[in-house]
Amino acid sequence: MRKIFFIATILLICGTISAQNTYQQSQFTGQFGSSASGVDSNLYDRNGNPIDTTSVIDASTIPIGLTSWKIDRLFGNRTEIPVDTLQHNFQNTNDTGGPTGHYTYLGNLGAPRIAHVFFDRKDPEQFFFLDPYDYTVVRPEDVVYTNTKSPFSNLTYYKQGGSKDGEERFKAYFAVNANKRLGFGFNIDYVYGRGKYMNQSTALFNGNLFAYYLGDKYNMHFSFMNDNLKVAENGGITDDRFITDPLAMAEGGKVYGNSEIPTNLSQVWNHNTGYHAFLTHRYNLGFYRENPDAKDTVNTEVFVPVTSFLHTVNVDINRRRYISYDEEQNQKYFQNNYLTDIQRDETEHLAVKNTIGISLREGFNKWAKAGLTAFMSHEYRRFTMTDTLAQTPGQRIPTDYVENTVSVGGQLIKEQGKTLHYDVMGEIALAGEDAGQFQIEGKGDLNFRLFSDTVRLEANAYIKNLNPTFYYRHFHSKHYWWDNNDLSKIMRTRIEGKLSIDHWKTQLKAGVENIKNYTYLDNTSVKYTETVSDKEVVSYKNDVAVKQHTGNIQIFSATLNQDFQLGIFHLDNEVTYQKSSNQDVLPLPDLVLYHNFYLKFGLAKKVLQVELGTDVRYFTQYYAPDYAPAIGQFYLQNKETRFKLGGYPLLNAYVNIHLKRTRIFIAMYNLIQGQGEKSYFLAPHYPLNPRLLKFGLSWNFFD
C-alpha cells in the first residue's frame, strides 16, 4: 500500500509540474465550455471555492475552468456531472454497503455485494464474475472525463485498524489539458481489506487511462481499464452463535476474538483479472454561424453539427480463476468435485463489439426539434472453459465457445431546451446467438414553475426480451457444472416516475416491474444424515444450479427522499418500500431506511466547514441471499435451513471537516454492535465488522 501511495503521488506531482509549465506559457482564453466542449463552465479559486468572475484576478485567485462528464457506452453521448469537491456525506464514500445502505455484502471492505433494493440492480454482464465488485470496477460509462484550464488532481486515502486486520483504500485522479480541445488523465483505485475474521482478505486494484478530443468536426473519447481482484473465501463462520451468543460458545472459557472464530473454508481464493479498451468517435458535418452568446466575446462563430457518422468499439479480455488447495476440505464441503487439478479451474472471456451509426443532429434549424440516430452493431464473444473429452472419461481440456450477434436499432433524443427532454432507444438482434433479443427504453423529464418553485417530473420505462448471459447457459468448474440449452428469453417490463421539488428538498419516485422467465442461481445443496455418538447429525454439501421461474413476478418500489433544515440542524431521510410477489424466488426486504441527523456550521469566519452527526441504515427481515464462494455469486438460501436476516439498525457517528481544498472525516462504525436477535449480519453466516474507528482524507489540487 505504501509503495502504491508513493508512486501515485510522484506521478501526480510530476504530471502537475509538467502541465503547469505548459499552462504558464499558454493559458486558455475566453470562456471555458464553448462549442468545443459543449458543457457549461465553473470557476474556482485555488481552494476550490466558486469565485466572482467579474472580480480582479490576481496570483491568489486564479480562475479555474473545471467541468466533468461521463459518456454512454453505445454512442458516446455526454452527460455532465458535478465535480467531486463536496463535503456532505464524505464519510459514506468508502462504504461497501453504499452511501445509504442499499447493498447486502460480506462485511469486509470491497467484499462482493448485491443490492437489496431491487431497482438498484443492473442487468448482468456477459462476464458476470465482476458484477459483485461494482463497488470498485469501472465500466466505460463510469469513467469521469475532466476538462480543466489548470491541472486538476485528487488524492484520497481511507484507513481503519492496524496492520493485521485493518482496511485501507487509496484513490488518485489526475486530469490535464494539452489545449482547450484535447485532454487526458488517469485514475487509480486500490482497496486492501485484511479482514476482521479469518480467511477474508480482499485486494482489489482498478486503474484507467482516458483521453478525449472535442473538436468542431471530430470528437473522440478513449479509455483503457485494468482490473485485478483477488478475494479470499472463507465460506462464512461455522456457527452464528460466535456472534449472536459468544458466552455460550465460550463454554465457560475465554470468549473467541473475531480473528479466532472458525470458518468453513481456508486456502480458497477467487481471482479475477480484466483488460478493457473503449473508443467512441464521430465525424460531424455542419456549418458555422454567428455566436448567439453575447457574453462570449472571443468566439464570434460557433459550429452547428447537422449530421454525424459515429463508430464505437469495445474490447474486453477477462479471466477468472478459482484456487483451492485443500482437497479433503473440498470433499467435505462440496457435493461435487469435478476437477482435482486446480490449474484447470479457470474460465476466460474475450469480447469485441463494434457499432456504426449515422445521426441527424438536434437543433441545427428551428424544425429539427430532436436528434435521430440509426445504428448497427456486431459483437464477437469467445468463452474458454474446461470441458470433457469425448470417449475419454475424466479427461479435461480447455474448450472454446464462440458466439456472434448482429443487431440494429435507432434513437430519438431531445436534450436542448429547458422544459422538455426525452430519449427513446430501441434495438433488436437479427442474427447470431441472441437472435430475437430486443429492448426498447425511454426516459424523459418535464420542468415547470409552480408557486415560484421549479418542479421536475421524470419518467423512464423499458421492455426487454433478453437471452440469459453465457454463464447461466454454460458453466464448467471444480464444483459446479451445467449446460442449459433450453433456457427461455427473459421478458422484463418496467415503468417508473419521479417527482422532484428542489426548494422543498423533496424527491418521490415509484415504479413497477414485471419479469417473466426470471433466471437465478438456486441452492441445491444435498442433505446427509449420519450417526455420531448415537445421535443423528444432519449436514448439507454445497451445490448450485441455474433455475428459471416460468411464471410472472411483479416488483413494486417507491422511494421518498425528504430533507429538513432548521438553522444548523439537518435531517436527511430516505424511505424505500418495495414488494416482491414471489419471496421464495426473488426475496426482498419490504422496507429500507436511511436517516442522517447532523449539525452543519462554519468556524474561523466559515473557512472551516464542519458536519457533526450520526446516521442509521435499516431494513426489515427477509430471506437474504446466500453467497456461493466457488462461483463468487449470490444465490438463494437452502430452503430447508433458510432464516431471515435484517431488523438490525447499523448506527454510525461521524465528524466531517472541509478546510479549503481538504476534506477529512472521522467515523465510529457499528455503534450498537451485538444488539438484536440476528445481530450484525447482512448475508447468512457473514458478520459485519464490529465497532471500529474509521478515517478518511481527500485533497484536491487545482494548480
Side-chain angles (χ1 to χ4, degrees):
M1 170 63 76
R2 292 187 179 91
K3 291 181 179 179
I4 294 178
F5 183 87
F6 177 75
I7 293 172
T9 303
I10 295 299
L11 288 173
L12 285 173
I13 294 174
C14 293
T16 301
I17 293 173
S18 174
Q20 190 172 2
N21 291 336
T22 302
Y23 276 84
Q24 289 174 348
Q25 297 174 10
S26 176
Q27 283 283 353
F28 290 167
T29 58
Q31 183 180 0
F32 178 82
S34 64
S35 60
S37 66
V39 290
D40 296 329
S41 66
N42 296 304
L43 295 178
Y44 300 89
D45 63 18
R46 285 177 176 267
N47 299 320
N49 301 312
I51 65 172
D52 180 5
T53 57
T54 62
S55 63
V56 176
I57 297 174
D58 56 28
S60 64
T61 311
I62 298 178
I64 300 173
L66 184 66
T67 56
S68 294
W69 66 91
K70 296 181 180 180
I71 60 175
D72 72 78
R73 194 187 300 195
L74 191 59
F75 303 128
N77 294 328
R78 283 173 283 157
T79 300
E80 188 175 352
I81 62 171
V83 178
D84 183 20
T85 58
L86 297 179
Q87 170 195 11
H88 185 53
N89 275 343
F90 176 50
Q91 79 282 356
N92 291 335
T93 55
N94 194 41
D95 195 321
T96 310
T100 56
H102 282 197
Y103 290 83
T104 290
Y105 66 106
L106 306 185
N108 195 19
L109 179 66
R113 69 179 192 175
I114 184 174
H116 50 242
V117 175
F118 180 77
F119 277 28
D120 286 347
R121 296 184 183 179
K122 301 177 182 178
D123 291 336
E125 298 280 344
Q126 287 292 337
F127 190 78
F128 70 2
F129 301 103
L130 296 182
D131 291 350
Y133 301 98
D134 62 346
Y135 171 71
T136 56
V137 170
V138 175
R139 308 291 185 184
E141 62 270 23
D142 300 322
V143 174
V144 176
Y145 298 86
T146 298
N147 199 334
T148 174
K149 287 186 177 181
S150 297
F152 172 73
S153 53
N154 170 270
L155 293 175
T156 302
Y157 180 68
Y158 303 93
K159 172 71 173 177
Q160 173 278 311
S163 59
K164 292 184 178 181
D165 62 356
E167 300 173 348
E168 292 180 272
R169 186 180 189 183
F170 172 70
K171 299 173 68 175
Y173 182 86
F174 175 73
V176 67
N177 278 68
N179 53 50
K180 66 180 180 180
R181 301 181 185 275
L182 175 64
F184 53 88
F186 67 84
N187 181 70
I188 294 173
D189 187 0
Y190 179 69
V191 174
Y192 186 30
R194 298 169 178 85
K196 296 297 181 183
Y197 306 94
M198 291 195 298
N199 310 308
Q200 193 194 31
S201 64
T202 58
L204 315 177
F205 175 82
N206 302 92
N208 70 77
L209 302 171
F210 67 84
Y212 64 86
Y213 180 82
L214 301 176
D216 289 342
K217 295 185 178 182
Y218 180 73
N219 300 159
M220 177 275 294
H221 287 85
F222 169 79
S223 60
F224 177 79
M225 293 150 282
N226 171 235
D227 310 310
N228 193 332
L229 318 175
K230 189 171 184 179
V231 176
E233 304 285 3
N234 65 14
I237 61 176
T238 57
D239 195 320
D240 290 355
R241 291 178 297 170
F242 284 110
I243 299 296
T244 59
D245 195 0
L247 294 179
M249 298 304 294
E251 298 180 350
K254 180 182 177 181
V255 175
Y256 284 81
N258 295 317
S259 61
E260 300 171 324
I261 296 176
T263 59
N264 288 304
L265 299 175
S266 63
Q267 293 187 307
V268 176
W269 292 268
N270 271 304
H271 190 190
N272 291 284
T273 56
Y275 300 92
H276 318 279
F278 176 80
L279 171 68
T280 178
H281 55 153
R282 65 174 63 197
Y283 185 79
N284 303 313
L285 301 177
F287 59 91
Y288 289 90
R289 69 182 176 194
E290 186 177 349
N291 190 351
D293 186 0
K295 296 181 180 180
D296 188 354
T297 59
V298 176
N299 302 294
T300 58
E301 289 186 328
V302 294
F303 181 75
V304 180
V306 176
T307 304
S308 297
F309 299 92
L310 59 93
H311 171 235
T312 296
V313 59
N314 195 2
V315 180
D316 295 302
I317 303 174
N318 297 293
R319 186 181 74 165
R320 183 254 182 182
R321 291 186 63 195
Y322 175 76
I323 305 168
S324 178
Y325 290 115
D326 191 337
E327 287 301 320
E328 182 179 350
Q329 172 184 259
N330 293 333
Q331 295 290 334
K332 181 179 179 181
Y333 186 82
F334 295 100
Q335 170 64 17
N336 299 302
N337 290 273
Y338 299 105
L339 305 175
T340 57
D341 181 359
I342 63 171
Q343 301 301 321
R344 295 285 181 88
D345 190 7
E346 64 181 48
T347 181
E348 296 180 354
H349 165 246
L350 168 66
V352 181
K353 184 175 182 179
N354 280 276
T355 301
I356 57 173
I358 181 171
S359 176
L360 186 64
R361 303 294 293 274
E362 172 190 0
F364 68 88
N365 66 37
K366 63 180 181 179
W367 306 111
K369 299 298 184 181
L372 182 63
T373 301
F375 65 92
M376 174 180 289
S377 296
H378 171 264
E379 183 174 15
Y380 168 85
R381 302 191 294 254
R382 187 189 71 204
F383 303 88
T384 303
M385 296 188 305
T386 300
D387 210 339
T388 304
L389 273 176
Q391 301 177 347
T392 310
Q395 186 69 36
R396 314 295 194 197
I397 61 169
T399 302
D400 290 343
Y401 294 75
V402 176
E403 299 181 347
N404 287 273
T405 296
V406 177
S407 58
V408 297
Q411 180 192 47
L412 181 68
I413 185 170
K414 183 182 185 300
E415 296 179 301
Q416 299 178 12
K418 297 181 179 180
T419 304
L420 176 66
H421 312 95
Y422 54 82
D423 181 356
V424 181
M425 195 275 290
E427 183 177 12
I428 183 170
L430 299 178
E433 182 64 33
D434 298 335
Q437 173 177 287
F438 69 85
Q439 52 186 330
I440 302 172
E441 302 182 58
K443 61 181 179 180
D445 63 84
L446 177 65
N447 304 270
F448 58 91
R449 301 287 292 179
L450 179 65
F451 305 121
S452 72
D453 293 330
T454 299
V455 177
R456 183 169 59 259
L457 293 174
E458 301 174 62
N460 66 78
Y462 60 63
I463 300 175
K464 299 180 180 181
N465 189 41
L466 304 176
N467 194 26
T469 57
F470 176 83
Y471 290 107
Y472 282 117
R473 292 179 276 120
H474 304 282
F475 184 61
H476 304 163
S477 69
K478 189 176 186 70
H479 304 298
Y480 311 136
W481 197 291
W482 58 71
D483 289 285
N484 300 312
N485 297 310
D486 57 347
L487 292 180
S488 302
K489 289 185 171 59
I490 306 165
M491 175 65 78
R492 301 182 60 177
T493 306
R494 177 187 293 187
I495 183 169
E496 185 178 19
K498 181 178 178 181
L499 168 67
S500 301
I501 306 176
D502 294 339
H503 182 71
W504 294 356
K505 299 180 180 179
T506 301
Q507 288 186 354
L508 175 63
K509 61 181 179 181
V512 63
E513 177 162 345
N514 183 82
I515 308 177
K516 182 177 176 57
N517 296 325
Y518 176 67
T519 305
Y520 60 97
L521 296 176
D522 195 10
N523 190 321
T524 57
S525 297
V526 179
K527 182 178 180 179
Y528 285 86
T529 302
E530 58 182 343
T531 301
V532 179
S533 301
D534 297 329
K535 293 183 179 180
E536 287 191 348
V537 177
V538 176
S539 61
Y540 292 83
K541 288 193 175 183
N542 181 266
D543 200 10
V544 174
V546 174
K547 298 288 183 66
Q548 266 195 337
H549 180 72
T550 56
N552 293 294
I553 300 177
Q554 291 82 34
I555 303 98
F556 171 79
S557 179
T559 299
L560 172 65
N561 291 85
Q562 180 63 66
D563 300 341
F564 299 99
Q565 178 182 355
L566 179 61
I568 65 172
F569 297 96
H570 296 254
L571 178 61
D572 298 347
N573 304 277
E574 181 183 86
V575 179
T576 297
Y577 174 79
Q578 59 183 1
K579 198 70 177 179
S580 168
S581 64
N582 192 328
Q583 289 285 352
D584 291 330
V585 174
L586 182 53
L588 298 170
D590 289 343
L591 200 61
V592 181
L593 306 177
Y594 173 77
H595 303 285
N596 183 14
F597 176 72
Y598 58 98
L599 283 69
K600 186 174 183 178
F601 52 90
L603 298 175
K605 297 182 180 181
K606 297 186 178 181
V607 174
L608 179 67
Q609 295 293 322
V610 179
E611 285 185 358
L612 177 65
T614 182
D615 65 5
V616 60
R617 297 157 175 79
Y618 177 90
F619 59 85
T620 52
Q621 291 192 358
Y622 77 115
Y623 293 115
D626 205 342
Y627 176 74
I631 194 174
Q633 299 288 310
F634 288 89
Y635 68 146
L636 295 182
Q637 291 190 50
N638 186 341
K639 288 183 174 57
E640 297 184 24
T641 61
R642 67 179 184 174
F643 60 96
K644 291 186 176 181
L645 288 175
Y648 175 77
L650 182 60
L651 188 67
N652 307 316
Y654 66 90
V655 56
N656 259 342
I657 299 174
H658 189 185
L659 177 62
K660 295 184 177 181
R661 294 179 287 179
T662 305
R663 293 172 289 171
I664 302 173
F665 81 82
I666 300 174
M668 181 62 74
Y669 173 83
N670 200 359
L671 282 173
I672 58 172
Q673 165 194 340
Q675 304 299 315
E677 178 187 357
K678 299 302 179 186
S679 195
Y680 43 104
F681 291 84
L682 297 186
H685 317 306
Y686 287 90
L688 294 176
N689 284 339
R691 186 185 305 112
L692 49 85
L693 190 68
K694 294 185 176 183
F695 164 81
L697 168 67
S698 183
W699 194 350
N700 290 319
F701 300 84
F702 289 88
D703 50 12

